[in-house]
Amino acid sequence: MRYTITSSKPRFEPSVPDPRAFTLHVRYSISEVPVNNGYKPRLADDRVGYFFTKAYDYDRFELDGTVVRYINRWHLEKKDPKARVSEPKEPIVFWLENTIPVEYRKGLRDGILEWNKAYEKAGIKNAIVVKQMPDDAEWDPADIRYNTIRWVSSLTGGGGGAFGPSWMNPFTGQILDADVVIFAPINFIFSYNVFESPLSSLFFDDGKTLLPGKISLWYQDNILLGFERDFGILDMLARGKIKDIKDVPEEYMYDFLKFLSCHEVGHTLGLRHNFKGSTTIALQDLHNTKVTAKESIGNSIMEYLPSNVAPKGVKQGDYWQKTIGAWDYWVIE
Ligand SMILES: [Zn+2]
């Protein structure tokens, strides 16, 4: 369905090319709720950080009423139930949307596949499969039958630059569909020079100096993580490791994108944030690659880990959380 919305008082909106009017394409996707498919709901437990679905069970007659809370998770079953480690009957399939810049796809793909380590430890090998949406695909990424990593040009959406929503069976918490949305401005400064962009007068008085009062909220909100990424880049520039932002090592962007997709996909596996994950590696070990080789800079990818910049006199270690950590293994199990 298409709605064309017009405004009698147009004002500047960074996501809309022409603020006088825009066309909104709304898609309704209706699907059947699976019934008796062998999925066993699991009761939520405050000690384990899962999102949950609140359902009403009218057969239940307890003091606390008819409400039951089930964790949100996928219906993964071993193909060979007797094997310690088995492939799944049906893997979780994620598609990389065809709008994702080609050079960013590998990092995003590897971030998704990182979770297979946790599933394998829990007994399911290759639980997640990643596919590339072809350029001539005839399906819509909003289609409930496709889990996707989307790349959208909106400048105003999303909290820190990306989010990972999913849709559940309202009776059981079984996750039926997930679509991670990454907002392109997460690559704002990296992908084009903001100093020379038509929007630069919004943020800079002379084209060079940031104007805190002029940075509108949407800008701050949307590239929060982008700022973190740029902080690492500024560090490399300041230390003379690179001479220009065009020289940012591929590995740096790879690690950043891998971290980003791994975190967001973690949400679509049912996981909440873990804001203790940064406390497990001692401050003095944050750049000690012998210590960080195993779990990187925290013990959960579901933490909000900023870029890890070495203090003066310390050799730089990992800028980003490069792997899932002990907590992630545990919750998936
Ligand atoms: Zn998050």
Side-chain angles (χ1 to χ4, degrees):
M1 212 175 281
R2 283 168 206 267
Y3 299 100
T4 297
I5 294 164
T6 58
S7 171
S8 53
K9 284 185 197 156
R11 62 189 177 120
F12 173 73
E13 277 297 337
S15 296
V16 181
D18 183 338
R20 289 170 299 178
F22 73 98
T23 299
L24 186 68
H25 186 171
V26 179
R27 187 194 163 87
Y28 294 92
S29 196
I30 297 169
S31 70
E32 229 174 311
V33 169
V35 181
N36 297 331
N37 61 342
Y39 179 80
K40 282 191 205 150
R42 181 158 179 167
L43 289 173
D45 182 323
D46 279 347
R47 294 167 299 179
V48 188
Y50 270 85
F51 291 117
F52 60 80
T53 291
K54 203 165 96 175
Y56 293 91
D57 177 356
Y58 295 107
D59 284 343
R60 198 167 177 270
F61 191 72
E62 305 285 340
L63 280 176
D64 58 347
T66 51
V67 170
V68 280
R69 292 170 183 82
Y70 296 128
I71 65 165
N72 297 343
R73 63 170 175 166
W74 292 86
H75 184 26
L76 275 176
E77 288 177 297
K78 283 181 177 175
K79 203 188 270 174
D80 176 0
K82 287 189 189 125
R84 198 197 72 74
V85 179
S86 163
E87 302 253 340
K89 277 190 195 164
E90 298 267 349
I92 306 166
V93 180
F94 273 101
W95 293 83
L96 296 176
E97 193 179 8
N98 53 18
T99 49
I100 300 172
V102 174
E103 62 271 34
Y104 298 151
R105 291 179 184 177
K106 190 175 187 316
L108 296 174
R109 171 186 293 265
D110 290 351
I112 305 166
L113 292 173
E114 182 70 17
W115 286 103
N116 276 343
K117 293 180 186 169
Y119 284 105
E120 185 163 344
K121 193 168 174 243
I124 298 184
K125 192 181 163 69
N126 299 327
I128 302 177
V129 170
V130 180
K131 295 183 180 177
Q132 178 60 50
M133 179 185 183
D135 287 342
D136 58 357
E138 284 180 4
W139 50 272
D140 190 301
D143 189 316
I144 196 166
R145 291 167 297 182
Y146 296 89
N147 307 309
T148 55
I149 307 294
R150 306 199 61 178
W151 187 272
V152 300
S153 60
S154 167
L155 286 163
T156 46
F163 69 125
S166 52
W167 285 265
M168 278 62 66
N169 180 334
F171 301 112
T172 64
Q174 181 196 340
I175 301 173
L176 304 173
D177 177 40
D179 297 283
V180 167
V181 181
I182 298 174
F183 295 90
I186 197 88
N187 287 291
F188 214 55
I189 292 180
F190 189 76
S191 57
Y192 75 99
N193 192 342
V194 71
F195 295 98
E196 287 163 11
S197 86
L199 301 174
S200 65
S201 61
L202 282 172
F203 321 121
F204 306 99
D205 54 357
D206 52 2
K208 286 188 184 121
T209 317
L210 265 174
L211 288 176
K214 271 207 171 184
I215 303 177
S216 57
L217 274 176
W218 63 262
Y219 182 79
Q220 288 185 23
D221 274 0
N222 285 297
I223 59 165
L224 200 68
L225 188 59
F227 272 137
E228 281 300 331
R229 185 211 48 231
D230 295 335
F231 189 53
I233 295 173
L234 286 173
D235 174 64
M236 285 185 271
L237 284 165
R239 289 177 205 242
K241 282 189 200 159
I242 56 170
K243 291 205 169 67
D244 190 283
I245 59 167
K246 292 190 195 83
D247 306 329
V248 172
E250 254 175 55
E251 193 195 342
Y252 180 84
M253 274 309 282
Y254 170 86
D255 287 346
F256 168 72
L257 291 163
K258 187 179 168 197
F259 162 68
L260 177 68
S261 73
C262 192
H263 176 98
E264 299 306 337
V265 167
H267 285 313
T268 69
L269 302 176
L271 304 181
R272 291 181 184 224
H273 287 135
N274 172 350
F275 290 139
K276 288 280 189 185
S278 56
T279 59
T280 50
I281 308 283
L283 194 59
Q284 67 270 21
D285 287 333
L286 273 178
H287 294 275
N288 179 346
T289 46
K290 278 189 194 123
V291 173
T292 58
K294 192 168 163 244
E295 282 206 337
S296 198
I297 55 175
N299 87 335
S300 175
I301 200 91
M302 300 316 292
E303 166 67 294
Y304 267 8
L305 287 151
S307 53
N308 178 37
V309 172
K312 203 175 171 185
V314 174
K315 192 166 177 276
Q316 175 67 42
D318 295 348
Y319 278 106
W320 300 101
Q321 175 77 12
K322 289 168 93 162
T323 173
I324 55 171
W327 185 84
D328 305 314
Y329 282 95
W330 181 68
V331 284
I332 290 295
E333 192 176 342

